[in-house]
Amino acid sequence: MKKNLETRAMFAGHTPSPANEFAVKPPMHPASTFVFPDARTGAAHMETAYGVQGAETPPEGFIYSRLGNPTLNLAETRLAAWDESDDAAFFSSGMAAISTALLAWSGADRPVWYVGPLYGGTQHFLDEVMPTMGREVRAIAGLELLNATLEETDRALPGIIYLETPANPTMQVRRIRSAAEWAATHSTPDHRIVVMVDNTYLGPILQRPLDEGADLILYSATKYLGGHSDLIAGAASGRADIVAKVKEFRTFLGGITDPWTAWMLARSMETLHVRVERQQSTTKRVLAHLRDLCGPQAVRSAWVEDLATAGLDVHAAEAQQKGGGAMVGLVVPGGREGAFAFLDSLSVFKLAVSLGSTESLAEHPASMTHAGVPAHIKEETGITEGFVRLSIGLEHPEDLVEDLTQAWKIACDVATLAV
Ligand SMILES: Cc1ncc(COP(=O)(O)O)c(C=O)c1O
């Protein structure tokens, strides 16, 4: 009988056997290079990697750790197990994964259409960097505008449709299936439209973009996949041919994960579901408290109650999410002054960027993670001066509630004094 997902993911990539002394845990291979059994095999490996015409097909094996490594294979097998994808690729950061995937599947006749808002680094790469590389990039306000955009562009099909859902930090939710169905209808045998989804905020436990028809999932693995604020990594996971091209580009752009980080990721993924489920249940408690204390209008999250209050897409969330995750936004009174007073008063929450870790984190997107986003986009998307972002960790829920309550009161006092 096929085992359940948690069980399959726990053992993916490592089986205790005589080859590994029956070690219950996998070894780590720091080697940068691997010995070829003979020169002919070495030539077959290298010529295949470089796409030399007429190269002999090499046997399974490793060449050099910029192309692949046994410990990396372990982590990639484990992520593919969680996502139930054909294949996965790890990178040295989330941005390395995102930029490599975008470069691999875009081109002069393959524009990128994205539905913002997006994580600031991705948005900058798309708006400022890709056009300098001959890529046409177009921001679309919503997926309902795909047909209108096609008319506007004289029916020039996109090569990529890129989404981030829920969006960091404003929680806009996009219906992945709408993008995938549109892409499937408009793709032709010579022009495949690739749908990419940044699933960093929810991860494989809470949202499964491939089941919704997406082709490639992207992650900042620095967040929930790593989950302990002790590594930087990224990942791409999805359909075999889509990942294969991304891996080919990774070889030449060079942004692969090192073996130590890969080993840490493989270890962290064993507890992914337990961490995320606990972070979600604590978040429910925190959100219920914040809605009472601060009023529902002040609270943002990807849970349906808060999406409804903010006028965001509740139906998409209900259709594709298993819960709203563990990220919270709070609009503090008194603008930047109130928000800073709130952040400086927290003691259990740590004032730091990043998210998805064992410890709870708090930050001010307008001046920190999204400092580089143009003012008009911040305004349109709700990244106001009073907005703070919270990432809920594994501390006791009541300690978090108490910490937030005292900080909120201080921020309210500051806001009243400022009037
Ligand atoms: C949604 C999202 N995507 C991508 C990234 C980039 O990841 P990294 O910092 O690992 O490069 C981040 C980082 O915060 C993020 O929040």
Side-chain angles (χ1 to χ4, degrees), residues 92-96 98 119 122 162 164 166 168 198 200-201 219-223 232-234 354-355 369 389:
S92 54
S93 67
M95 281 313 301
I98 291 165
Y119 165 66
T122 310
Y162 188 97
E164 179 179 307
N168 174 5
D198 183 330
T200 299
Y201 251 43
Y219 293 107
S220 169
T222 313
K223 313 301 189 296
I232 297 279
S354 202
L355 59 105
T369 43
R389 189 186 76 180

Side-chain angles (χ1 to χ4, degrees), residues 209-345:
L210 299 179
D211 293 349
E212 302 295 327
D215 299 295
L216 192 72
I217 310 170
L218 294 156
Y219 293 107
S220 169
T222 313
K223 313 301 189 296
Y224 293 98
L225 297 180
H228 294 72
S229 296
D230 55 8
L231 60 84
I232 297 279
S237 172
R239 313 210 184 278
D241 53 335
I242 305 293
V243 178
K245 191 161 177 195
V246 174
K247 281 189 168 173
E248 184 192 320
F249 269 61
R250 181 181 67 177
T251 292
F252 298 105
L253 294 172
I256 202 165
T257 301
D258 66 278
W260 170 243
T261 306
W263 192 90
M264 299 264 281
L265 283 161
R267 177 185 160 136
S268 288
M269 280 187 277
E270 290 183 8
T271 55
L272 179 62
H273 52 311
V274 181
R275 286 185 279 111
V276 168
E277 280 157 15
R278 175 64 187 264
Q279 284 159 330
Q280 274 224 127
S281 67
T282 301
T283 303
K284 277 196 200 169
R285 165 74 185 113
V286 167
L287 284 169
H289 177 74
L290 290 177
R291 288 180 206 121
D292 276 353
L293 178 73
C294 320
Q297 295 295 342
V299 180
R300 304 271 183 282
S301 81
W303 290 86
V304 289
E305 297 88 324
D306 301 313
L307 291 170
T309 308
L312 298 175
D313 193 343
V314 172
H315 300 300
E318 279 171 341
Q320 68 196 22
Q321 297 177 192
K322 292 186 202 133
M327 293 301 296
V328 172
L330 194 59
V331 183
V332 176
R336 182 177 286 215
E337 218 184 317
F340 279 18
F342 177 85
L343 291 170
D344 289 340
S345 308

Side-chain angles (χ1 to χ4, degrees), residues 369-384:
T369 43
H370 292 66
V373 174
H376 72 276
I377 297 184
K378 282 193 216 168
E379 197 165 315
E380 279 161 28
T381 54
I383 306 176
T384 57

Side-chain angles (χ1 to χ4, degrees), residues 135-155:
R135 268 41 171 212
E136 193 196 314
V137 176
R138 191 171 279 268
I140 305 181
L143 288 168
E144 65 285 359
L145 298 174
L146 287 170
N147 282 334
T149 309
L150 191 60
E151 293 311 318
E152 258 171 47
T153 58
D154 287 335
R155 305 196 68 76

Side-chain angles (χ1 to χ4, degrees), residues 70-88:
T71 315
L72 194 75
N73 262 18
L74 163 77
E76 293 178 346
T77 305
R78 228 158 247 197
L79 178 57
W82 271 125
D83 275 330
E84 295 182 279
S85 65
D86 298 334
D87 197 8

Side-chain angles (χ1 to χ4, degrees), residues 54 61 63 72 106 125 132 144 207 216 245 247-248 254 261 333 335 361 381 388 396 398:
I63 309 171
L72 194 75
S106 59
F125 184 73
T132 68
E144 65 285 359
Q207 183 166 264
L216 192 72
K245 191 161 177 195
K247 281 189 168 173
E248 184 192 320
T261 306
L361 298 172
T381 54
V388 298
H396 195 287
E398 298 314 313

